[in-house]
């Protein structure tokens, strides 16, 4: 984080909150706060991280991107050894 009022420092977080609000919160209602919290966790783990395509990382889900990135690094380390 940088100085106050510098929007680019917080762009990733702002983008996430925007997606959460428009793709999730604004489309549903919950009887209790506990149910809303559980639903948010499920949305993040099952939709946002595993299914939703993210343009900043080549239009793949974050879990897939991390797996391919880790696998590539592991293979490079094995070849260097």
């Amino acid at each position: 984080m940088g100085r106050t009022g510098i929007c680019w420092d917080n762009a990733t977080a702002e983008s996430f909150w925007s997606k959460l609000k428009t793709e999730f919160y604004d489309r549903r209602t919950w009887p209790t706060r506990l149910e809303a919290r559980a639903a948010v966790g499920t949305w993040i783990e099952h939709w946002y991280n595993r299914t939703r395509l993210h343009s900043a990382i080549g239009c793949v889900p974050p879990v897939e991107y991390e797996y391919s990135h880790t696998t590539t690094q592991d293979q490079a380390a094995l070849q260097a050894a």
Side-chain angles (χ1 to χ4, degrees), residues 4 8 10-13 15 17 19-20 30 34 37 41 44 46-47 49 53 57-58 62-63 66 71-72 78:
T4 302
W8 299 282
N10 207 19
T12 303
S15 177
W17 288 114
K19 299 297 181 207
L20 179 67
W30 297 271
L34 183 62
R37 286 182 181 175
I44 291 170
H46 295 285
W47 170 249
N49 285 339
L53 304 179
I57 55 175
V63 169
E66 288 294 325
T71 303
T72 302
L78 287 173

Side-chain angles (χ1 to χ4, degrees), residues 10-25 40 43-45 48-49 52 54:
N10 207 19
T12 303
E14 292 295 333
S15 177
F16 169 77
W17 288 114
S18 173
K19 299 297 181 207
L20 179 67
K21 289 176 185 177
T22 59
E23 294 180 7
F24 185 71
Y25 276 135
V40 167
W43 182 83
I44 291 170
E45 278 304 312
Y48 190 80
N49 285 339
R52 188 177 187 283
H54 295 251

